[in-house]
CSV table of all heavy atoms in Angstrom, one decimal:
chain,number,residue,atom,x,y,z
A,187,MET,N,5.7,-11.8,2.9
A,187,MET,CA,5.8,-10.8,4.1
A,187,MET,C,5.6,-9.4,3.5
A,187,MET,O,6.2,-9.0,2.5
A,187,MET,CB,7.3,-11.0,4.6
A,187,MET,CG,7.5,-10.3,6.0
A,187,MET,SD,9.1,-10.6,6.6
A,187,MET,CE,9.0,-12.4,6.9
A,188,PRO,N,4.8,-8.6,4.2
A,188,PRO,CA,4.4,-7.3,3.7
A,188,PRO,C,5.6,-6.3,3.8
A,188,PRO,O,6.5,-6.5,4.6
A,188,PRO,CB,3.3,-6.8,4.7
A,188,PRO,CG,3.5,-7.6,5.9
A,188,PRO,CD,4.1,-8.9,5.5
A,189,ARG,N,5.5,-5.3,3.0
A,189,ARG,CA,6.6,-4.3,3.0
A,189,ARG,C,6.0,-3.0,3.4
A,189,ARG,O,5.0,-2.6,3.0
A,189,ARG,CB,7.2,-4.2,1.6
A,189,ARG,CG,8.4,-3.3,1.5
A,189,ARG,CD,9.2,-3.4,0.3
A,189,ARG,NE,8.3,-3.3,-0.9
A,189,ARG,CZ,8.8,-3.6,-2.1
A,189,ARG,NH1,10.0,-3.9,-2.3
A,189,ARG,NH2,8.0,-3.5,-3.2
A,190,TYR,N,6.7,-2.3,4.3
A,190,TYR,CA,6.3,-1.1,4.8
A,190,TYR,C,7.2,0.0,4.4
A,190,TYR,O,8.4,-0.2,4.3
A,190,TYR,CB,6.1,-1.1,6.4
A,190,TYR,CG,5.2,-2.2,6.8
A,190,TYR,CD1,5.6,-3.5,7.1
A,190,TYR,CD2,3.8,-2.0,6.9
A,190,TYR,CE1,4.8,-4.5,7.5
A,190,TYR,CE2,2.9,-3.0,7.3
A,190,TYR,CZ,3.4,-4.2,7.6
A,190,TYR,OH,2.5,-5.2,8.0
A,191,GLU,N,6.7,1.2,4.3
A,191,GLU,CA,7.5,2.4,3.9
A,191,GLU,C,7.6,3.3,5.1
A,191,GLU,O,6.5,3.6,5.7
A,191,GLU,CB,6.9,3.0,2.7
A,191,GLU,CG,7.8,4.2,2.2
A,191,GLU,CD,7.3,4.7,0.8
A,191,GLU,OE1,6.2,4.3,0.4
A,191,GLU,OE2,8.1,5.5,0.2
A,192,TYR,N,8.7,3.8,5.4
A,192,TYR,CA,8.9,4.7,6.5
A,192,TYR,C,9.6,6.0,6.0
A,192,TYR,O,10.2,6.0,4.9
A,192,TYR,CB,9.8,4.1,7.6
A,192,TYR,CG,9.2,2.8,8.2
A,192,TYR,CD1,9.3,1.6,7.6
A,192,TYR,CD2,8.5,2.9,9.4
A,192,TYR,CE1,8.8,0.4,8.1
A,192,TYR,CE2,7.9,1.7,9.9
A,192,TYR,CZ,8.0,0.5,9.3
A,192,TYR,OH,7.5,-0.6,9.8
A,193,ALA,N,9.4,7.0,6.8
A,193,ALA,CA,10.0,8.3,6.4
A,193,ALA,C,10.8,8.8,7.7
A,193,ALA,O,10.2,8.7,8.8
A,193,ALA,CB,9.0,9.3,6.0
A,194,CYS,N,12.0,9.2,7.5
A,194,CYS,CA,12.7,9.8,8.6
A,194,CYS,C,12.5,11.3,8.7
A,194,CYS,O,12.6,12.0,7.7
A,194,CYS,CB,14.2,9.5,8.3
A,194,CYS,SG,15.3,10.2,9.6
A,195,ARG,N,12.1,11.6,9.9
A,195,ARG,CA,11.8,13.1,10.1
A,195,ARG,C,13.1,13.8,10.4
A,195,ARG,O,13.1,15.1,10.6
A,195,ARG,CB,10.8,13.2,11.2
A,195,ARG,CG,9.5,12.6,10.9
A,195,ARG,CD,8.4,13.1,11.8
A,195,ARG,NE,8.5,12.6,13.1
A,195,ARG,CZ,7.6,12.8,14.1
A,195,ARG,NH1,6.5,13.5,13.9
A,195,ARG,NH2,7.8,12.3,15.3
A,196,ALA,N,14.2,13.1,10.6
A,196,ALA,CA,15.4,13.8,10.9
A,196,ALA,C,16.1,14.3,9.6
A,196,ALA,O,16.6,15.4,9.6
A,196,ALA,CB,16.3,12.9,11.7
A,197,CYS,N,16.2,13.4,8.6
A,197,CYS,CA,16.9,13.7,7.4
A,197,CYS,C,15.9,13.8,6.2
A,197,CYS,O,16.3,14.2,5.1
A,197,CYS,CB,18.0,12.8,7.2
A,197,CYS,SG,17.5,11.1,6.9
A,198,GLY,N,14.7,13.3,6.4
A,198,GLY,CA,13.7,13.4,5.3
A,198,GLY,C,13.7,12.3,4.3
A,198,GLY,O,13.0,12.3,3.4
A,199,THR,N,14.6,11.3,4.6
A,199,THR,CA,14.6,10.2,3.6
A,199,THR,C,13.5,9.2,3.8
A,199,THR,O,12.9,9.1,4.9
A,199,THR,CB,16.0,9.5,3.7
A,199,THR,OG1,16.1,8.6,2.6
A,199,THR,CG2,16.1,8.7,5.0
A,200,THR,N,13.2,8.5,2.8
A,200,THR,CA,12.2,7.4,2.9
A,200,THR,C,12.9,6.1,2.6
A,200,THR,O,13.7,6.0,1.7
A,200,THR,CB,11.0,7.6,2.0
A,200,THR,OG1,11.5,7.8,0.6
A,200,THR,CG2,10.3,8.9,2.3
A,201,PHE,N,12.4,5.1,3.3
A,201,PHE,CA,13.0,3.7,3.1
A,201,PHE,C,11.9,2.7,3.4
A,201,PHE,O,10.9,3.0,4.0
A,201,PHE,CB,14.2,3.5,4.0
A,201,PHE,CG,13.9,3.7,5.5
A,201,PHE,CD1,13.6,2.6,6.3
A,201,PHE,CD2,13.8,5.0,6.0
A,201,PHE,CE1,13.3,2.8,7.6
A,201,PHE,CE2,13.5,5.2,7.4
A,201,PHE,CZ,13.3,4.1,8.2
A,202,GLU,N,12.2,1.5,2.8
A,202,GLU,CA,11.2,0.4,3.0
A,202,GLU,C,11.8,-0.7,3.8
A,202,GLU,O,13.0,-0.9,3.7
A,202,GLU,CB,10.8,-0.1,1.6
A,202,GLU,CG,10.0,1.0,0.8
A,202,GLU,CD,9.6,0.4,-0.6
A,202,GLU,OE1,10.2,-0.6,-1.0
A,202,GLU,OE2,8.7,1.0,-1.2
A,203,LEU,N,10.9,-1.3,4.5
A,203,LEU,CA,11.4,-2.5,5.3
A,203,LEU,C,10.4,-3.6,5.1
A,203,LEU,O,9.2,-3.4,5.1
A,203,LEU,CB,11.4,-2.1,6.8
A,203,LEU,CG,12.6,-1.2,7.2
A,203,LEU,CD1,12.5,-0.9,8.7
A,203,LEU,CD2,13.9,-1.8,6.9
A,204,THR,N,10.9,-4.8,5.0
A,204,THR,CA,10.1,-6.0,4.9
A,204,THR,C,10.2,-6.7,6.2
A,204,THR,O,11.2,-7.2,6.6
A,204,THR,CB,10.6,-6.9,3.7
A,204,THR,OG1,10.6,-6.2,2.5
A,204,THR,CG2,9.7,-8.1,3.6
A,205,ARG,N,9.0,-6.7,6.8
A,205,ARG,CA,9.0,-7.2,8.2
A,205,ARG,C,7.6,-7.8,8.4
A,205,ARG,O,6.6,-7.5,7.7
A,205,ARG,CB,9.3,-6.2,9.2
A,205,ARG,CG,8.4,-4.9,9.0
A,205,ARG,CD,8.5,-3.9,10.1
A,205,ARG,NE,9.9,-3.7,10.6
A,205,ARG,CZ,10.2,-2.9,11.6
A,205,ARG,NH1,9.2,-2.2,12.2
A,205,ARG,NH2,11.4,-2.7,12.0
A,206,PRO,N,7.5,-8.7,9.4
A,206,PRO,CA,6.2,-9.3,9.7
A,206,PRO,C,5.2,-8.2,10.1
A,206,PRO,O,5.6,-7.2,10.6
A,206,PRO,CB,6.5,-10.3,10.8
A,206,PRO,CG,7.9,-10.5,10.7
A,206,PRO,CD,8.5,-9.3,10.2
A,207,MET,N,3.9,-8.5,10.0
A,207,MET,CA,2.9,-7.6,10.3
A,207,MET,C,2.9,-7.3,11.8
A,207,MET,O,2.5,-6.2,12.3
A,207,MET,CB,1.5,-8.1,10.0
A,207,MET,CG,1.3,-8.2,8.5
A,207,MET,SD,-0.4,-8.8,8.0
A,207,MET,CE,-1.4,-7.5,8.6
A,208,ALA,N,3.4,-8.3,12.6
A,208,ALA,CA,3.4,-8.1,14.1
A,208,ALA,C,4.4,-7.0,14.4
A,208,ALA,O,4.3,-6.4,15.5
A,208,ALA,CB,3.7,-9.4,14.7
A,209,GLU,N,5.3,-6.8,13.5
A,209,GLU,CA,6.4,-5.8,13.9
A,209,GLU,C,6.2,-4.5,13.0
A,209,GLU,O,7.1,-3.7,12.9
A,209,GLU,CB,7.8,-6.4,13.6
A,209,GLU,CG,8.1,-7.6,14.4
A,209,GLU,CD,9.5,-8.2,14.1
A,209,GLU,OE1,10.2,-7.5,13.4
A,209,GLU,OE2,9.8,-9.2,14.6
A,210,SER,N,5.0,-4.4,12.4
A,210,SER,CA,4.8,-3.2,11.6
A,210,SER,C,4.9,-1.9,12.4
A,210,SER,O,5.2,-0.8,11.9
A,210,SER,CB,3.4,-3.3,10.9
A,210,SER,OG,2.4,-3.3,11.9
A,211,GLY,N,4.5,-2.0,13.7
A,211,GLY,CA,4.5,-0.8,14.5
A,211,GLY,C,5.8,-0.6,15.3
A,211,GLY,O,5.9,0.4,16.0
A,212,ALA,N,6.7,-1.5,15.1
A,212,ALA,CA,8.0,-1.4,15.9
A,212,ALA,C,8.8,-0.3,15.3
A,212,ALA,O,8.7,0.0,14.1
A,212,ALA,CB,8.7,-2.8,15.8
A,213,PRO,N,9.6,0.3,16.1
A,213,PRO,CA,10.5,1.4,15.6
A,213,PRO,C,11.4,0.9,14.5
A,213,PRO,O,11.9,-0.2,14.5
A,213,PRO,CB,11.3,1.8,16.8
A,213,PRO,CG,10.5,1.3,18.0
A,213,PRO,CD,9.8,0.1,17.5
A,214,ALA,N,11.4,1.7,13.4
A,214,ALA,CA,12.3,1.4,12.3
A,214,ALA,C,13.3,2.5,12.2
A,214,ALA,O,13.1,3.6,11.8
A,214,ALA,CB,11.4,1.3,11.0
A,215,PRO,N,14.5,2.1,12.5
A,215,PRO,CA,15.6,3.1,12.4
A,215,PRO,C,16.0,3.5,11.0
A,215,PRO,O,15.9,2.6,10.1
A,215,PRO,CB,16.8,2.4,13.1
A,215,PRO,CG,16.5,0.9,13.0
A,215,PRO,CD,15.0,0.8,13.0
A,216,CYS,N,16.3,4.7,10.8
A,216,CYS,CA,16.7,5.2,9.5
A,216,CYS,C,18.0,4.6,9.1
A,216,CYS,O,18.8,4.3,9.9
A,216,CYS,CB,16.8,6.7,9.6
A,216,CYS,SG,17.6,7.5,8.1
A,217,PRO,N,18.2,4.4,7.8
A,217,PRO,CA,19.5,3.8,7.3
A,217,PRO,C,20.6,4.7,7.7
A,217,PRO,O,21.8,4.2,7.8
A,217,PRO,CB,19.3,3.9,5.8
A,217,PRO,CG,17.8,3.8,5.5
A,217,PRO,CD,17.2,4.5,6.7
A,218,ASP,N,20.4,5.9,8.0
A,218,ASP,CA,21.5,6.8,8.5
A,218,ASP,C,21.6,6.7,10.0
A,218,ASP,O,22.5,7.4,10.6
A,218,ASP,CB,21.2,8.2,8.0
A,218,ASP,CG,21.4,8.4,6.5
A,218,ASP,OD1,22.1,7.5,5.9
A,218,ASP,OD2,20.8,9.3,5.9
A,219,GLY,N,20.7,6.0,10.6
A,219,GLY,CA,20.9,5.8,12.1
A,219,GLY,C,19.9,6.7,12.9
A,219,GLY,O,20.0,6.6,14.1
A,220,HIS,N,19.1,7.4,12.2
A,220,HIS,CA,18.1,8.2,13.0
A,220,HIS,C,17.0,7.4,13.5
A,220,HIS,O,16.6,6.4,12.9
A,220,HIS,CB,17.6,9.4,12.1
A,220,HIS,CG,18.6,10.2,11.5
A,220,HIS,ND1,18.7,10.6,10.2
A,220,HIS,CD2,19.7,10.8,12.1
A,220,HIS,CE1,19.8,11.3,9.9
A,220,HIS,NE2,20.4,11.5,11.1
A,221,GLY,N,16.5,7.7,14.6
A,221,GLY,CA,15.4,7.0,15.2
A,221,GLY,C,14.0,7.6,15.1
A,221,GLY,O,13.0,7.0,15.4
A,222,ASP,N,14.0,8.9,14.7
A,222,ASP,CA,12.7,9.6,14.6
A,222,ASP,C,12.1,9.3,13.2
A,222,ASP,O,12.2,10.1,12.3
A,222,ASP,CB,13.0,11.1,14.8
A,222,ASP,CG,11.7,11.9,14.9
A,222,ASP,OD1,10.6,11.2,15.0
A,222,ASP,OD2,11.7,13.1,15.0
A,223,THR,N,11.4,8.2,13.1
A,223,THR,CA,10.8,7.8,11.8
A,223,THR,C,9.3,7.6,12.0
A,223,THR,O,8.9,7.3,13.1
A,223,THR,CB,11.5,6.5,11.3
A,223,THR,OG1,11.3,5.5,12.2
A,223,THR,CG2,13.0,6.7,11.0
A,224,VAL,N,8.6,7.7,10.9
A,224,VAL,CA,7.2,7.5,10.9
A,224,VAL,C,6.9,6.5,9.8
A,224,VAL,O,7.5,6.5,8.8
A,224,VAL,CB,6.4,8.8,10.7
A,224,VAL,CG1,6.6,9.7,11.9
A,224,VAL,CG2,6.8,9.5,9.5
A,225,LYS,N,5.8,5.7,10.1
A,225,LYS,CA,5.4,4.7,9.1
A,225,LYS,C,4.4,5.4,8.1
A,225,LYS,O,3.5,6.0,8.5
A,225,LYS,CB,4.8,3.5,9.8
A,225,LYS,CG,4.5,2.4,8.8
A,225,LYS,CD,4.2,1.1,9.5
A,225,LYS,CE,2.9,1.1,10.2
A,225,LYS,NZ,1.8,1.1,9.2
A,226,LEU,N,4.7,5.2,6.9
A,226,LEU,CA,3.8,5.8,5.8
A,226,LEU,C,2.7,4.8,5.5
A,226,LEU,O,2.8,3.6,5.9
A,226,LEU,CB,4.6,6.1,4.6
A,226,LEU,CG,5.8,7.1,4.8
A,226,LEU,CD1,6.5,7.4,3.5
A,226,LEU,CD2,5.3,8.4,5.4
A,227,LEU,N,1.7,5.2,4.8
A,227,LEU,CA,0.7,4.4,4.4
A,227,LEU,C,1.2,3.3,3.4
A,227,LEU,O,2.0,3.6,2.6
A,227,LEU,CB,-0.5,5.2,3.8
A,227,LEU,CG,-1.2,6.2,4.7
A,227,LEU,CD1,-2.2,7.0,3.9
A,227,LEU,CD2,-1.9,5.4,5.8
A,228,SER,N,0.7,2.1,3.6
A,228,SER,CA,1.1,1.1,2.8
A,228,SER,C,0.6,1.2,1.4
A,228,SER,O,-0.5,1.7,1.2
A,228,SER,CB,0.6,-0.3,3.3
A,228,SER,OG,1.0,-1.3,2.5
A,229,ARG,N,1.5,0.9,0.4
A,229,ARG,CA,1.0,1.0,-1.0
A,229,ARG,C,0.7,-0.3,-1.6
A,229,ARG,O,0.7,-0.5,-2.8
A,229,ARG,CB,2.2,1.7,-1.8
A,229,ARG,CG,2.4,3.1,-1.3
A,229,ARG,CD,3.4,3.8,-2.2
A,229,ARG,NE,4.7,3.1,-2.2
A,229,ARG,CZ,5.8,3.5,-2.8
A,229,ARG,NH1,5.7,4.5,-3.6
A,229,ARG,NH2,6.9,2.8,-2.7
A,230,VAL,N,0.5,-1.3,-0.7
A,230,VAL,CA,0.2,-2.6,-1.2
A,230,VAL,C,-1.2,-2.7,-1.8
A,230,VAL,O,-1.4,-3.3,-2.8
A,230,VAL,CB,0.4,-3.6,0.0
A,230,VAL,CG1,0.1,-5.0,-0.5
A,230,VAL,CG2,1.8,-3.6,0.5
A,231,ALA,N,-2.2,-2.1,-1.0
A,231,ALA,CA,-3.5,-2.3,-1.5
A,231,ALA,C,-3.8,-1.3,-2.6
A,231,ALA,O,-4.3,-0.2,-2.3
A,231,ALA,CB,-4.5,-2.1,-0.3
A,232,VAL,N,-3.5,-1.6,-3.8
A,232,VAL,CA,-3.8,-0.8,-4.9
A,232,VAL,C,-4.6,-1.5,-5.9
A,232,VAL,O,-4.7,-2.8,-5.9
A,232,VAL,CB,-2.5,-0.2,-5.6
A,232,VAL,CG1,-1.8,0.7,-4.6
A,232,VAL,CG2,-1.6,-1.3,-6.0
A,233,GLY,N,-5.2,-0.9,-6.8
A,233,GLY,CA,-6.0,-1.5,-7.9
A,233,GLY,C,-7.5,-1.5,-7.6
A,233,GLY,O,-7.9,-0.5,-6.9
A,234,GLY,N,-8.2,-2.4,-8.0
A,234,GLY,CA,-9.6,-2.4,-7.7
A,234,GLY,C,-10.4,-1.9,-8.9
A,234,GLY,O,-11.2,-1.0,-8.7
A,235,VAL,N,-10.1,-2.4,-10.1
A,235,VAL,CA,-10.8,-1.9,-11.2
A,235,VAL,C,-12.2,-2.5,-11.3
A,235,VAL,O,-12.4,-3.7,-11.2
A,235,VAL,CB,-10.1,-2.3,-12.5
A,235,VAL,CG1,-10.9,-1.8,-13.8
A,235,VAL,CG2,-8.7,-1.7,-12.5
A,236,ALA,N,-13.2,-1.6,-11.3
A,236,ALA,CA,-14.6,-2.1,-11.3
A,236,ALA,C,-14.9,-2.8,-12.6
A,236,ALA,O,-14.6,-2.3,-13.7
A,236,ALA,CB,-15.5,-0.9,-11.0
A,237,GLU,N,-15.6,-3.8,-12.5
A,237,GLU,CA,-16.0,-4.6,-13.7
A,237,GLU,C,-17.2,-3.9,-14.3
A,237,GLU,O,-18.3,-3.8,-13.6
A,237,GLU,CB,-16.3,-6.0,-13.3
A,237,GLU,CG,-15.0,-6.8,-12.9
A,237,GLU,CD,-15.4,-8.3,-12.7
A,237,GLU,OE1,-16.5,-8.6,-13.0
A,237,GLU,OE2,-14.5,-9.0,-12.2
A,238,SER,N,-17.1,-3.5,-15.5
A,238,SER,CA,-18.3,-2.9,-16.2
A,238,SER,C,-19.1,-4.0,-16.8
A,238,SER,O,-18.6,-4.9,-17.4
A,238,SER,CB,-17.8,-1.9,-17.3
A,238,SER,OG,-17.0,-2.6,-18.2
A,239,PRO,N,-20.4,-3.9,-16.6
A,239,PRO,CA,-21.3,-4.9,-17.2
A,239,PRO,C,-21.2,-5.0,-18.7
A,239,PRO,O,-21.4,-4.0,-19.4
A,239,PRO,CB,-22.7,-4.5,-16.7
A,239,PRO,CG,-22.6,-3.1,-16.4
A,239,PRO,CD,-21.1,-2.8,-15.9
A,240,ALA,N,-20.9,-6.1,-19.2
A,240,ALA,CA,-20.8,-6.2,-20.7
A,240,ALA,C,-22.2,-6.2,-21.3
A,240,ALA,O,-23.1,-6.9,-20.8
A,240,ALA,CB,-20.1,-7.5,-21.0
A,241,PRO,N,-22.3,-5.4,-22.3
A,241,PRO,CA,-23.6,-5.4,-23.0
A,241,PRO,C,-23.9,-6.7,-23.7
A,241,PRO,O,-23.3,-7.1,-24.7
A,241,PRO,CB,-23.4,-4.2,-24.1
A,241,PRO,CG,-21.9,-4.1,-24.3
A,241,PRO,CD,-21.3,-4.6,-23.0
A,242,SER,N,-24.9,-7.3,-23.2
A,242,SER,CA,-25.2,-8.6,-23.8
A,242,SER,C,-26.6,-8.5,-24.5
A,242,SER,O,-27.5,-8.0,-24.0
A,242,SER,CB,-25.3,-9.7,-22.7
A,242,SER,OG,-26.3,-9.4,-21.8
A,243,GLY,N,-26.6,-9.0,-25.7
A,243,GLY,CA,-27.9,-8.9,-26.5
A,243,GLY,C,-28.9,-10.0,-26.0
A,243,GLY,O,-28.9,-11.1,-26.5
A,244,GLY,N,-29.6,-9.6,-25.0
A,244,GLY,CA,-30.6,-10.5,-24.4
A,244,GLY,C,-31.9,-10.6,-25.3
A,244,GLY,O,-31.8,-10.2,-26.5
A,245,CYS,N,-32.9,-11.0,-24.7
A,245,CYS,CA,-34.1,-11.2,-25.4
A,245,CYS,C,-34.6,-9.8,-25.8
A,245,CYS,O,-35.0,-9.5,-27.0
A,245,CYS,CB,-35.2,-11.9,-24.6
A,245,CYS,SG,-36.8,-12.0,-25.3
A,246,CYS,N,-34.7,-8.9,-24.8
A,246,CYS,CA,-35.2,-7.5,-25.1
A,246,CYS,C,-34.3,-6.7,-25.9
A,246,CYS,O,-34.6,-5.5,-26.2
A,246,CYS,CB,-35.6,-6.9,-23.8
A,246,CYS,SG,-36.9,-7.7,-22.9
A,247,GLY,N,-33.1,-7.2,-26.1
A,247,GLY,CA,-32.1,-6.4,-26.9
A,247,GLY,C,-32.2,-6.6,-28.4
A,247,GLY,O,-31.8,-5.9,-29.2
A,248,GLY,N,-32.9,-7.7,-28.7
A,248,GLY,CA,-33.0,-8.0,-30.1
A,248,GLY,C,-34.4,-7.6,-30.7
A,248,GLY,O,-34.5,-7.4,-31.9
A,249,GLY,N,-35.3,-7.4,-29.8
A,249,GLY,CA,-36.6,-6.9,-30.3
A,249,GLY,C,-37.7,-8.0,-30.3
A,249,GLY,O,-38.7,-7.8,-30.8
A,250,CYS,N,-37.2,-9.2,-29.7
A,250,CYS,CA,-38.2,-10.3,-29.8
A,250,CYS,C,-39.4,-10.1,-28.9
A,250,CYS,O,-40.4,-10.6,-29.1
A,250,CYS,CB,-37.5,-11.6,-29.5
A,250,CYS,SG,-36.8,-11.6,-27.8
A,251,CYS,N,-39.1,-9.2,-27.8
A,251,CYS,CA,-40.2,-9.0,-26.9
A,251,CYS,C,-40.6,-7.6,-26.9
A,251,CYS,O,-41.1,-7.0,-25.9
A,251,CYS,CB,-39.9,-9.5,-25.5
A,251,CYS,SG,-38.4,-8.7,-24.8
A,252,GLY,N,-40.3,-6.9,-27.9
A,252,GLY,CA,-40.6,-5.4,-27.9
A,252,GLY,C,-41.8,-5.1,-28.7
A,252,GLY,O,-42.2,-4.0,-29.0
A,253,GLY,N,-42.5,-6.2,-29.1
A,253,GLY,CA,-43.7,-5.9,-29.9
A,253,GLY,C,-44.8,-5.3,-29.0
A,253,GLY,O,-45.0,-5.6,-27.9
A,254,GLY,N,-45.6,-4.5,-29.6
A,254,GLY,CA,-46.6,-3.9,-28.8
A,254,GLY,C,-47.9,-3.8,-29.5
A,254,GLY,O,-48.5,-4.0,-30.4
K,300,ZN,ZN1,17.4,9.8,8.9
């Protein structure tokens, strides 16, 4: 179940709620009881390290086909 982060605009606190995606847009009351809250961007989708092509010594890397 995804976790969402909310911020209360009344007291400025931030809190997280674990709820179904269908209820991600539902009002999330502040732990202090405030109702004026906004949903922050999810921090779930992080990462994505690009794979760097490993230098492989192919045919043209050794000089077998570099003759001229
Ligand atoms: Zn609050």
